[in-house]
Amino acid sequence: MKKKIIAIIASLMLVMPILAGCTSSTGSSGTGDEKLYPKMKLRMTVNGTDIATDTKTAKKFAELVKEGSGGNIEIVVFPNDQLSGGNMTKSIEMVAQGATEISAYATSALGVLDQKLLVGTIPWIFDNYTQARETIDSTGGAYYAKLLANKGLTYLGSVHNGFRQISNSKREVKTPEDVAGLKIRVPGGEVYLNFWKALGADPVAMSWGEVFTAIQQGTIDGQENGFSVTNSANIYEIQKYMTVWNYTYENYLFVVNSEKFASMTPETQALLKEKALEACEWGRDMVEEGEQVLMEKFRAAGMTVTELSSEELEPFKAKIADLQKYFIQKYGTEAAEAFGLK
């Protein structure tokens, strides 16, 4: 019996180095090794509601990072700008200053840091989502990264907010004349303000959290956003008309505070970049696949949804042609080349 026990112990001693080797190999493959992925909790702020694209994509990102780090890295997502009392501009300042670690905000909002971030929103520079993806995943994204680096932020990826449409409570919009006189909420930024003025509308810069009530009270006539935002904020329930014209493309940029990012291990940095891109691709697909479904949902709810043809868009484009040239010149050669503009 004693000899059997000794034999078992000897066998275990031989097996233990093999098991140890297996454990080491598993750790180096990216799951649970605290030397590669030190335990940390990161706060990520977004502006959208729980069902908005930015929030859903941020949560997907958090899931992917947690899985890839073996549970060591936890990203806690805060929708509705909870950490700044609903103030989106303050939230952007917080991540730039390091009060929070990660954020995802639309370029229209990030324009408070540098107006050149709005170059991708110049009206009608993209014909479709494929073109937008290809531009941003190459020269456009590199340009964003350069601008953001100057503001203390590291660019991780881009997900569609979507092509922006117009909804309003007064009338169907099919011609430039139909836009004239409408009070339209815009997120701020000179691209949006000047675009609507060029069409004869009255643009009103307003925090998104105030829009639903402002529409109900008649303070504004309408708003301009993509399908996902119009849906997640239930705007389709209080607006009678929507025109699909893809007048400008908007996207959310995933960013991390550069000082915090620099303090992370190279493996953690690589993981965050990889999973941000993966989550953003997931979010893009979700937006593109969901728009037709949402259009039918809006119609079923009683909304008149008008889709403009390329011919019907021409009078609108003619109205803002000079404005488009103005912004291309203003943002400069580098921005223009990054987004394939002339």
Side-chain angles (χ1 to χ4, degrees), residues 54-317:
D54 52 347
T55 306
K56 285 184 175 180
T57 308
K59 289 182 176 180
K60 181 67 173 180
F61 174 49
E63 291 172 9
L64 292 171
V65 169
K66 185 174 183 179
E67 179 183 358
S69 66
N72 288 353
I73 303 173
E74 182 182 1
I75 297 175
V76 183
V77 178
F78 294 90
N80 300 304
D81 288 310
Q82 293 172 9
L83 299 184
S84 62
N87 188 318
M88 182 165 55
T89 300
K90 185 177 179 181
S91 288
I92 292 170
E93 292 172 352
M94 287 172 68
V95 70
Q97 294 167 1
T100 54
E101 292 78 40
I102 308 178
S103 292
Y105 286 101
T107 51
S108 58
L110 290 167
V112 299
L113 300 176
D114 191 328
Q115 282 288 303
K116 289 182 180 180
L117 286 165
L118 291 169
V119 61
T121 68
I122 294 175
W124 287 301
I125 63 170
F126 294 129
D127 293 327
N128 51 56
Y129 283 121
T130 299
Q131 188 180 2
R133 283 186 188 233
E134 290 173 351
T135 298
I136 292 167
D137 289 345
S138 54
T139 52
Y143 183 69
Y144 286 146
K146 181 178 178 180
L147 296 182
L148 290 165
N150 293 332
K151 302 300 177 180
L153 297 170
T154 297
Y155 171 73
L156 296 176
S158 166
V159 63
H160 301 321
N161 181 354
F163 281 108
R164 298 175 85 99
Q165 322 300 348
I166 176 177
S167 72
N168 81 97
S169 302
K170 285 198 168 182
R171 55 183 172 266
E172 184 179 14
V173 171
K174 297 188 72 173
T175 69
E177 290 71 30
D178 296 327
V179 178
L182 291 177
K183 288 186 178 180
I184 302 295
R185 179 270 176 183
V186 296
E190 60 177 350
V191 172
Y192 298 102
L193 289 167
N194 284 287
F195 171 85
W196 291 98
K197 286 178 181 178
L199 292 180
D202 180 11
V204 180
M206 179 184 293
S207 172
W208 182 244
E210 302 171 17
V211 173
F212 192 91
T213 300
I215 291 173
Q216 285 183 313
Q217 295 176 344
T219 307
I220 56 175
D221 299 316
Q223 57 91 44
E224 48 75 64
N225 258 303
F227 281 94
S228 61
V229 174
T230 301
N231 176 62
S232 64
N234 298 319
I235 298 297
Y236 68 94
E237 295 180 352
I238 57 172
Q239 296 262 260
K240 187 174 180 181
Y241 303 100
M242 181 178 190
T243 292
V244 180
W245 59 348
N246 294 349
Y247 93 93
T248 183
Y249 173 81
E250 179 68 288
N251 53 332
Y252 299 107
L253 304 186
F254 275 50
V255 296
V256 57
N257 178 270
S258 294
E259 187 173 340
K260 178 64 178 180
F261 191 67
S263 72
M264 299 175 183
T265 64
E267 292 81 8
T268 297
Q269 292 177 351
L271 182 70
L272 291 181
K273 287 183 175 181
E274 175 190 340
K275 299 309 179 183
L277 291 175
E278 187 177 338
C280 285
E281 283 300 293
W282 175 88
R284 286 171 169 179
D285 291 342
M286 176 183 64
V287 169
E288 292 180 33
E289 293 166 4
E291 288 198 347
Q292 192 63 41
V293 175
L294 290 177
M295 190 185 302
E296 296 309 316
K297 175 182 177 179
F298 296 167
R299 284 175 171 151
M303 197 178 213
T304 298
V305 181
T306 304
E307 299 177 76
L308 298 186
S309 66
S310 56
E311 292 77 14
E312 289 173 317
L313 286 174
E314 287 306 316
F316 291 97
K317 292 182 178 181

Side-chain angles (χ1 to χ4, degrees), residues 316-326:
F316 291 97
K317 292 182 178 181
K319 278 269 189 182
I320 59 93
D322 289 340
L323 182 64
Q324 190 181 64
K325 291 177 184 177
Y326 163 76

